[in-house]
Amino acid sequence: KNRMKYINLVNDPRVTLCISDPDNPLCYIEIRGTALLEDDLDRRFINAIAEKYLDLDEYPYDAIGDERVTVTVIPLQISARGISLSEDEVGKPIKTG
């Protein structure tokens, strides 16, 4: 909660994600929406990330007293160039840490 990203999202929850295709930078997906902030008190989300990417049960790099939140993006508008989206993919929340 001491990072600028968190402070900015508390003040203005509007977000945009733009992800380009690494093989073709002219193809991209842009997601505009609202951020929903939830405390990660049991550290479930960050520990799941540590397990997947670091092969560790617990995330080891937080300082004492660091508070984690999970950011869920509620999509309001999705644009894509050169990428097709199925109806199942549109409208699903996207979680980030």
Side-chain angles (χ1 to χ4, degrees):
K1 288 186 176 180
N2 62 344
R3 295 190 171 116
M4 205 64 215
K5 181 197 297 189
Y6 174 79
I7 295 166
N8 288 339
L9 288 174
V10 167
N11 291 327
D12 185 356
R14 295 176 298 166
V15 296
T16 299
L17 302 170
C18 189
I19 304 161
S20 62
D21 181 340
D23 296 327
N24 183 354
L26 296 177
C27 295
Y28 65 88
I29 183 167
E30 179 184 36
I31 303 164
R32 293 179 184 223
T34 303
L36 173 64
L37 304 172
E38 299 175 275
D39 290 333
D40 188 16
L41 297 175
D42 60 3
R43 302 178 55 79
R44 183 178 302 163
F45 186 79
I46 190 63
N47 288 336
I49 298 295
E51 185 176 338
K52 181 173 183 172
Y53 294 105
L54 302 174
D55 199 26
L56 297 172
D57 292 333
E58 292 187 11
Y59 183 75
Y61 301 116
D62 280 337
I64 295 173
D66 277 355
E67 295 179 79
R68 287 272 172 186
V69 289
T70 301
V71 179
T72 302
V73 177
I74 309 300
L76 300 174
Q77 178 184 344
I78 298 175
S79 304
R81 178 180 173 161
I83 300 171
S84 60
L85 297 173
S86 72
E87 285 297 318
D88 293 339
E89 295 169 309
V90 176
K92 287 187 178 177
I94 302 159
K95 282 198 175 230
T96 64

